[in-house]
Amino acid sequence: MNLMRTAMLLAAMTAIFMGVGYLIGGGGGMAIAFVMAAGMNLCSYWNGDKMVLSMHHAHEVDARSAPEYYGIVQELAQRAGLPMPRVYVMDNPQPNAFATGRNPQNSAVAATTGLLSSLTREEIAGVMAHELAHVQNRDTLTMTITATIAGAISMLANFAFFFGGNRDNNNPLGFIGVIVAAIVAPLAVMLVQMAVSRTREYAADRRGAEISGQPSALASALAKIARTAHRVENVDAERNPATAHLFIINPLSGARIDNLFSTHPATENRIAALSAMETEFRGMSPTGSGPGSVPRVGGAGPRTTQQQRGPWG
């Protein structure tokens, strides 16, 4: 099923790309766009994760450079039965995170310094469990391919607007075709991103809460991130808006409602679903012993403020 979804996504994105090529240069433009799309599909499959991480200036860390953050991811990956992903940090004040990679064996998770400095240990664990859920559900390939090709379509649409209709006799619709390409292509990309991301966020929230054993911690993290994300600009995300659907909360300013063109569900709806999960979890043992028990990252019991913070160890 995941393979079929990925194939359908590739077909849809390729069709949009070819459509823009046709509106710019007719049959010749469509043929060139097809060749470009085929090359980009291959490139995004093998190198899409590296491209996305580079766009957001993420640098890799390990157990020595970020012991507590790395340890949280390691514990969660073991609990989920996943290979240890590569762990990255983005030097960015906005609290946020994402996962990428073509499969669990070649996956990576990344968190901003804003997230690591502003959330408690349990909240960080909830966020990273959500990202590992995307890895386990094999959403990362689809989401990464969408990000890379959507960015290319947006650039092609911009090219069409500035250079596509003035002297190109091969353009079947003339300047009207250029306007259509410049306006419709980004909207089509947003619809594809919406289809890819919105339903998968709910599934990743649920699975992430199961992995961490703390739905309330993830809910608290979502509330904190959502409150801050629209106030603290994410410069890299604003420069690369096609990657917005990768993040746990939309990193772009002004996109906080659950409407047709939002790449994320409303945070309030996600928190409500997690609160319902917390009710389910109340009857389970927090120690991880016995049937139906829910192990919690870092063990049970309260932590002091000093213990909660400081993911750098």
Side-chain angles (χ1 to χ4, degrees), residues 292-306:
S293 61
V294 181
R296 294 174 178 254
V297 173
R303 293 173 177 270
T304 66
T305 302
Q306 185 175 4

Side-chain angles (χ1 to χ4, degrees), residues 83-172:
M84 180 64 186
R86 288 169 290 137
V87 182
Y88 287 81
V89 169
M90 297 170 281
D91 188 10
N92 192 312
Q94 183 190 84
N96 229 317
F98 68 82
T100 185
R102 64 181 182 272
N103 54 40
Q105 291 72 35
N106 296 276
S107 62
V109 294
T112 65
T113 50
L115 182 139
L116 296 174
S117 62
S118 62
L119 269 60
T120 68
R121 188 180 195 278
E122 288 76 11
E123 289 167 344
I124 294 171
V127 170
M128 303 320 297
H130 169 99
E131 300 306 332
L132 289 176
H134 278 307
V135 173
Q136 191 169 57
N137 294 339
R138 296 180 179 267
D139 296 335
T140 50
L141 171 61
T142 305
M143 296 168 73
T144 301
I145 287 176
T146 301
T148 53
I149 301 181
I153 292 173
S154 297
M155 286 189 293
L156 187 60
N158 289 333
F159 176 84
F161 183 77
F162 288 106
F163 303 104
N166 296 330
R167 295 174 296 276
D168 190 355
N169 295 327
N170 293 324
N171 186 331

Side-chain angles (χ1 to χ4, degrees), residues 215-295:
S216 60
L218 176 54
S220 175
L222 290 175
K224 287 184 179 180
I225 297 171
R227 282 197 302 268
T228 308
H230 73 282
R231 292 189 290 104
V232 179
E233 184 181 18
N234 187 326
V235 176
D236 291 329
E238 297 289 347
R239 290 173 179 168
N240 302 281
T243 64
H245 65 282
L246 291 172
F247 287 82
I248 189 169
I249 291 289
N250 195 329
L252 305 179
S253 58
R256 294 175 291 151
I257 57 175
D258 194 4
N259 60 28
L260 180 62
F261 297 109
S262 176
T263 59
H264 291 67
T267 305
E268 294 81 1
N269 294 346
R270 296 170 67 182
I271 291 174
L274 288 165
S275 297
M277 279 194 70
E278 182 69 22
T279 302
E280 297 176 23
F281 279 32
R282 282 175 185 165
M284 300 179 183
S285 167
T287 62
S289 58
S293 61
V294 181

